[in-house]
Amino acid sequence: GENVEQHPSTLSVQEGDSAVIKCTYSDSASNYFPWYKQELGKGPQLIIDIRSNVGEKKDQRIAVTLNKTAKHFSLHITETQPEDSAVYFCAAILFSGGYQKVTFGTGTKLQVIP
Amino acid sequence: GAGVSQSPSNKVTEKGKDVELRCDPISGHTALYWYRQSLGQGLEFLIYFQGNSAPDKSGLPSDRFSAERTGGSVSTLTIQRTQQEDSAVYLCASSSPSRDEQYFGPGTRLTVT
């Protein structure tokens, strides 16, 4: 089955600096890679996603890159703000003919220091 | 519109008792997922419903866990004879037929004493 590794498990950055979180996956058939942000006491919220036919996607201060050959994808947050502090999860999902298989990473706790 | 809702938000139960957790997905979403999140851990997939297809139960950790989805909408996750290791946050998510992203509910925090 799919295995998703996420690093680092914790990350502290100064406000205004960039943060990068990396995930690797094992099943080359996975074709959808979302990133979720989870604040304390809340459910995860989708912040950005990328599909296997795209190498990079950007949405304001957030970007995701995908390297299918190496089977890894990364979340990049630029100009970090204190409100970016949360736990971030990556996921690798296989969609195929109405069937899907979801595997989440173990999460990264990001702390942005004012 | 309304998001995914879950009830109860918190549940404390004694070891050995059965519990039922409820999930109301977003209207029109055909896919529904249950996950378990232990303290400080990632999301562990439990079960997936897609329309009228047979559910994918491959993530259920034991036969004490079961789930059903009535009328293609509301879902109930049942844990029988609860154990202390069942203590976790149980998250539900749904997605629409036309989009891949999952929308999560706030979760139910289950504590087994």
Side-chain angles (χ1 to χ4, degrees):
Chain A
E2 175 69 278
N3 181 48
V4 177
E5 294 189 359
Q6 183 172 346
H7 299 282
S9 56
T10 60
L11 179 60
S12 291
V13 299
Q14 290 293 135
E15 182 177 359
D17 288 350
S18 295
V20 180
I21 303 170
K22 299 182 179 180
C23 287
T24 60
Y25 60 99
S26 59
D27 188 349
S28 57
S30 291
N31 49 17
Y32 175 60
F33 307 92
W35 284 91
Y36 288 86
K37 175 183 181 182
Q38 186 176 28
E39 296 174 328
L40 197 61
K42 298 183 179 180
Q45 280 196 306
L46 180 75
I47 56 171
I48 196 167
D49 57 11
I50 194 167
R51 287 165 177 77
S52 59
N53 58 345
V54 177
E56 184 173 357
K57 183 176 178 181
K58 189 172 181 180
D59 182 3
Q60 298 181 4
R61 296 187 297 109
I62 296 173
V64 56
T65 58
L66 171 65
N67 184 327
K68 284 189 64 182
T69 303
K71 290 188 282 189
H72 69 68
F73 56 111
S74 300
L75 176 71
H76 304 254
I77 306 174
T78 58
E79 300 170 29
T80 53
Q81 301 167 4
E83 52 265 37
D84 294 330
S85 296
V87 178
Y88 292 81
F89 292 96
C90 65
I93 300 177
L94 167 64
F95 283 103
S96 178
Y99 166 87
Q100 66 167 271
K101 197 72 178 176
V102 184
T103 306
F104 277 83
T106 50
T108 296
K109 184 175 183 179
L110 173 64
Q111 181 183 21
V112 179
I113 304 167
Chain B
V4 177
S5 61
Q6 293 186 245
S7 60
S9 55
N10 282 283
K11 176 72 177 178
V12 180
T13 190
E14 291 180 352
K15 177 181 173 181
K17 295 286 180 69
D18 297 352
V19 294
E20 286 189 352
L21 312 180
R22 176 186 169 107
C23 172
D24 282 85
I26 293 172
S27 178
H29 281 194
T30 56
L32 187 148
Y33 317 76
W34 283 99
Y35 298 91
R36 179 169 68 177
Q37 186 174 34
S38 301
L39 186 64
Q41 300 297 311
L43 280 73
E44 176 189 4
F45 167 78
L46 297 178
I47 188 168
Y48 159 57
F49 296 89
Q50 174 59 277
N52 295 321
S53 302
D56 176 357
K57 304 179 181 180
S58 60
L60 295 179
S62 78
D63 58 8
R64 297 186 296 104
F65 288 72
S66 63
E68 62 178 24
R69 188 178 185 193
T70 53
S73 181
V74 172
S75 177
T76 302
L77 176 69
T78 300
I79 308 173
Q80 296 179 308
R81 306 181 301 281
T82 51
Q83 304 294 313
Q84 288 186 328
E85 59 263 29
D86 299 335
S87 297
V89 174
Y90 290 82
L91 290 161
C92 173
S94 69
S95 64
S96 77
S98 57
R99 299 179 70 85
D100 300 331
E101 53 262 43
Q102 299 181 26
Y103 294 84
F104 282 83
T108 293
R109 180 174 296 278
L110 174 67
T111 303
V112 182
T113 61

